[in-house]
Amino acid sequence: MSELAREELSALAAIYCEPGACEELAASEIHGISFRIQISVKEVLDTDVLLKLLFHLPVNYPSTLPDISVNSDQLTRAQCMDVKEKLLEEAKKHLSEPMVHDLILWVQQHLKEVIKQSAAACNEKTTLSKGTEDGIWMLLLHLDHMRAKAKYVKTVEKWASNLRLTGRLMFMGKIILILLQGDRSSIKEYLVLQKTSKVDVDSSGKKCKEKMMRVLCETEVQSQHKRFQTFEVKEYSALEELQKEFETAELTALFSEFVPPLLK
């Protein structure tokens, strides 16, 4: 990673020094550095909004824009995406210079305005809501374990095929992830199957439902994301290989936000 990126992260850690306010997620000489900044923005929506901003600084940052992910329990997914788009627009004005702190200050000053614009745009698009509902969506699941692995894998492959979903079933050490792309209705149907079918066995060998699955992310596929053409089952011997899978699909921010915490 660049020395500028490392220096900038050190400065941010000094500024946002409260517990949980600044957390490094991953660092690599090949892939760059990922970290999360958590801030509270005052007097938005008649309350304070807690924003979680994930930044991935590639190795040639700041000559290249960072990847940004925005999450908040107080905002809708659409509002988070609007905030992200505005931050990326603002980032272009700071290309070739350290910019993360400037972006954080910008969102603190302009979040209320962005949310108002987002609400207005949402109202204008009400008649298109059905089209959005039927768009291409992405789902990332984490499974705690598979006791009857061969049967479990075969079942997941069958569901993906029947629902015309593409993506990956990924194994890396003890980590098991399912990444799916397809129509939102099919994604929803897959989740029902995953939660209600007896897909595995318990410690006594009796068939059981999946009770330890976690939905890490469910969101609409964005224009910068690459579509998987098939559904494949893959095993990875190292975290770097798994990260490369996400990077190939332009899902670096998704990886940085959800995968490294699973290793802790």
Side-chain angles (χ1 to χ4, degrees):
M1 74 202 75
S2 71
E3 188 62 30
L4 276 175
R6 175 55 69 184
E7 290 176 359
E8 185 170 17
L9 180 56
S10 296
L12 290 168
I15 296 169
Y16 304 98
C17 55
E18 296 180 2
C22 180
E23 181 183 5
E24 182 177 324
L25 301 175
S28 164
E29 295 296 335
I30 299 174
H31 303 298
I33 189 167
S34 299
F35 56 92
R36 182 189 292 114
I37 300 290
Q38 187 167 278
I39 58 171
S40 180
V41 184
K42 305 291 184 180
E43 299 176 357
V44 180
L45 302 174
D46 299 322
T47 185
D48 294 349
V49 172
L50 187 65
L51 278 184
K52 297 177 182 178
L53 306 172
L54 185 136
F55 295 91
H56 172 254
L57 310 184
V59 290
N60 48 357
Y61 169 88
S63 298
T64 300
L65 293 176
D67 290 321
I68 303 173
S69 177
V70 178
N71 287 284
S72 174
D73 292 338
Q74 288 86 31
L75 302 181
T76 66
R77 188 61 193 168
Q79 288 172 328
C80 287
M81 291 304 302
D82 286 340
V83 174
K84 172 184 173 178
E85 289 176 7
K86 294 295 184 182
L87 279 172
L88 288 173
E89 288 177 12
E90 188 67 18
K92 292 176 183 176
K93 302 175 184 178
H94 299 275
L95 197 60
S96 299
E97 63 185 47
M99 66 184 77
V100 174
H101 190 226
D102 287 329
L103 296 179
I104 294 170
L105 294 177
W106 186 90
V107 79
Q108 287 177 312
Q109 295 168 5
H110 296 87
L111 180 61
K112 193 170 185 177
E113 177 186 345
V114 173
I115 291 175
K116 284 183 178 179
Q117 292 175 351
S118 178
C122 182
N123 290 335
E124 290 176 6
K125 295 178 181 177
T126 299
T127 56
L128 300 177
S129 60
K130 186 178 184 302
T132 301
E133 180 74 15
D134 294 338
I136 302 302
W137 279 66
M138 177 169 59
L139 177 70
L140 180 63
L141 303 176
H142 173 244
L143 304 181
D144 184 75
H145 62 270
M146 287 184 182
R147 285 195 172 94
K149 182 177 178 180
K151 177 180 178 294
Y152 205 133
V153 169
K154 187 175 181 180
T155 301
V156 171
E157 288 180 312
K158 179 182 178 182
W159 288 341
S161 175
N162 290 346
L163 295 171
R164 297 184 179 180
L165 297 171
T166 61
R168 299 287 185 268
L169 170 53
M170 300 174 280
F171 296 91
M172 200 285 294
K174 294 183 179 180
I175 294 177
I176 306 172
L177 297 171
I178 301 176
L179 179 59
L180 298 170
Q181 292 178 343
D183 293 341
R184 192 176 191 189
S185 59
S186 296
I187 292 286
K188 293 292 186 184
E189 188 173 345
Y190 179 92
L191 271 176
V192 172
L193 290 170
Q194 183 78 57
K195 293 176 180 177
T196 61
S197 303
K198 292 185 177 181
V199 70
D200 204 3
V201 296
D202 60 21
S203 56
S204 64
K206 184 179 179 181
K207 290 182 180 180
C208 65
K209 297 176 183 178
E210 178 57 71
K211 297 179 180 179
M212 299 185 72
M213 176 196 75
R214 284 197 299 145
V215 177
L216 299 180
C217 181
E218 183 180 358
T219 185
E220 192 168 7
V221 172
Q222 303 301 308
S223 58
Q224 70 268 25
H225 298 152
K226 293 184 179 178
R227 292 286 309 278
F228 291 109
Q229 300 303 310
T230 59
F231 182 82
E232 298 179 24
V233 180
K234 303 188 74 172
E235 302 211 15
Y236 309 86
S237 58
L239 185 64
E240 290 74 17
E241 294 180 13
L242 181 59
Q243 184 172 355
K244 186 66 176 177
E245 186 76 67
F246 280 78
E247 289 177 347
T248 301
E250 303 294 341
L251 296 172
T252 301
L254 186 73
F255 173 89
S256 298
E257 181 170 3
F258 295 108
V259 180
L262 299 176
L263 300 172
K264 298 179 179 179

